[in-house]
Amino acid sequence: AMLIEDPELGDAAFTALNSIGVAARGQLMAALTNHHPHVRRSAMSCLAREPIVDEPEVLTALIHLMQDTNPTVATDTVHALVRMNRHI
């Protein structure tokens, strides 16, 4: 399993990816389609920050994530975009 899926180390992995910032965009974007809802939610939280959220492909992916099959992921994505004051 990937480190981001690890129940004990996943948070640390996302903290590291978040610290890397825009350079981690590819890994974070890929995590948006992970089969674990907590992984998708964590990736969304990292991507829903400036300046990375202002990249068109990131914003498009987050808009798509608002329709996630997991209601918590979908709702948290909506709330993150509203907090960022992104007009979607």
Side-chain angles (χ1 to χ4, degrees):
M2 296 186 300
L3 189 57
I4 59 173
E5 293 179 358
D6 187 289
E8 295 178 17
L9 301 175
D11 287 345
F14 275 111
T15 298
L17 288 170
N18 193 42
S19 296
I20 293 169
V22 175
R25 180 186 65 231
Q27 292 85 354
L28 293 168
M29 293 283 288
L32 292 177
T33 59
N34 189 281
H35 62 277
H36 292 291
H38 71 277
V39 171
R40 295 193 304 275
R41 185 185 175 285
S42 294
M44 176 277 299
S45 293
C46 291
L47 289 166
R49 299 174 191 270
E50 293 180 340
I52 196 167
V53 74
D54 291 320
E55 297 187 26
E57 68 273 12
V58 172
L59 191 54
T60 298
L62 294 179
I63 289 168
H64 180 74
L65 199 63
M66 292 189 314
Q67 312 237 345
D68 195 88
T69 56
N70 181 283
T72 301
V73 173
T75 302
D76 287 354
T77 302
V78 170
H79 291 164
L81 291 172
V82 167
R83 274 194 309 277
M84 298 278 312
N85 197 25
R86 292 304 181 264
H87 303 285
I88 48 177

